[in-house]
Amino acid sequence: MENILKGLNVYLIGMMGSGKTTVGKLLAKRLQYRFLDTDCLIENVTHKTINQIFAEEGETYFRQLENRILAEVSTYIRCVIATGGGIILKQENWSYLHHGMIIWLDTPAEVLVQRLAEDQTRPLLQKGDLLDKLTNLIAQRQSLYQQADLTITIKSHQTPNEILEQIMQLIPSKLKPEIDANLN
Ligand code: S3P
């Protein structure tokens, strides 16, 4: 079961606070894959926090960095990659994401609000009403997230391990059937 993906990367997409990092680490462990997080890679490369990059260079610059980091990691194998919530906004990023299996963690806004109420690390959420902001972002992004290979609809009471099991159960249904080498 753990080798079922045969090295294919897994990309976790979804809103800020949807659980990409927590679930991604569990999934990587189960698959015996490496875990990577595009935001962390950006912070490591720039020696700046995401907040600093947005404040000093702006969102457009951040999106360029995100695009470059994704291009790089898409050349790796055997990785679970937690992506930033806005990675789906750039059309070009989809060509990289499609190198692997794309899993959307579809987490309700009410759950995101609870998780992000005290958060100070997401520059897009620092001003205004949190629920309004999240609801607007979800409305803008929903049709993009829906392009994932696999949608995991998350319920408020689910634990990360339960979500992991749900993913592991659904992965086989999304794999292309193997062509039998002996067929001809
Ligand atoms: C963003 C999500 C963040 C980070 C940046 C922008 C977004 O990542 O990339 O603050 O546009 O949704 P997480 O989804 O890991 O919080």
Side-chain angles (χ1 to χ4, degrees):
M1 183 63 174
E2 280 65 21
N3 281 324
I4 193 169
L5 285 167
K6 302 202 165 57
L8 191 73
N9 284 348
V10 176
Y11 294 95
L12 293 175
I13 65 169
M15 283 292 291
M16 297 169 258
S18 60
K20 292 165 291 183
T21 302
T22 310
V23 174
K25 284 181 179 167
L26 293 175
L27 184 59
K29 203 169 168 204
R30 175 68 69 87
L31 294 170
Q32 295 174 336
Y33 269 24
R34 190 143 73 105
F35 174 76
L36 296 172
D37 180 314
T38 55
D39 284 341
C40 289
L41 293 171
I42 291 170
E43 291 187 334
N44 291 347
V45 166
T46 58
H47 302 289
K48 288 182 181 182
T49 64
I50 303 294
N51 268 334
Q52 276 176 308
I53 301 169
F54 268 73
E56 292 167 19
E57 263 100 20
E59 181 171 350
T60 307
Y61 181 73
F62 171 79
R63 297 293 174 206
Q64 284 165 8
L65 289 175
E66 188 171 56
N67 170 259
R68 268 191 271 157
I69 291 289
L70 181 65
E72 172 78 27
V73 299
S74 71
T75 65
Y76 305 167
I77 57 164
R78 300 184 65 81
C79 294
V80 171
I81 299 141
T83 61
I87 205 141
I88 42 83
L89 296 171
K90 238 190 209 320
Q91 184 58 41
E92 190 198 328
N93 288 345
W94 284 92
S95 62
Y96 298 120
L97 295 171
H98 279 302
H99 288 179
M101 179 177 286
I102 310 166
I103 302 180
W104 173 29
L105 300 186
D106 181 14
T107 308
E110 295 67 30
V111 176
L112 301 180
V113 168
Q114 284 169 16
R115 292 184 187 162
L116 296 168
E118 306 296 324
D119 182 83
Q120 295 183 340
T121 65
R122 268 71 169 210
L124 295 180
L125 302 177
Q126 295 316 304
K127 280 185 238 121
D129 179 75
L130 185 55
L131 182 58
D132 279 356
K133 283 239 157 172
L134 288 167
T135 311
N136 283 336
L137 281 174
I138 292 171
Q140 285 166 30
R141 295 174 175 183
Q142 182 113 344
S143 64
L144 296 167
Y145 289 137
Q146 277 168 349
Q147 292 174 36
D149 298 310
L150 190 59
T151 295
I152 302 294
T153 306
I154 291 171
K155 308 196 183 59
S156 54
H157 57 81
Q158 270 183 307
T159 65
N161 272 310
E162 285 166 354
I163 297 164
L164 169 69
E165 296 311 329
Q166 201 178 331
I167 294 174
M168 291 304 292
Q169 264 179 22
L170 289 170
I171 282 178
S173 67
K174 297 295 163 185
L175 290 169
K176 293 190 188 75
E178 250 185 276
I179 300 185
D180 190 336
N182 302 320
L183 266 183
N184 49 9

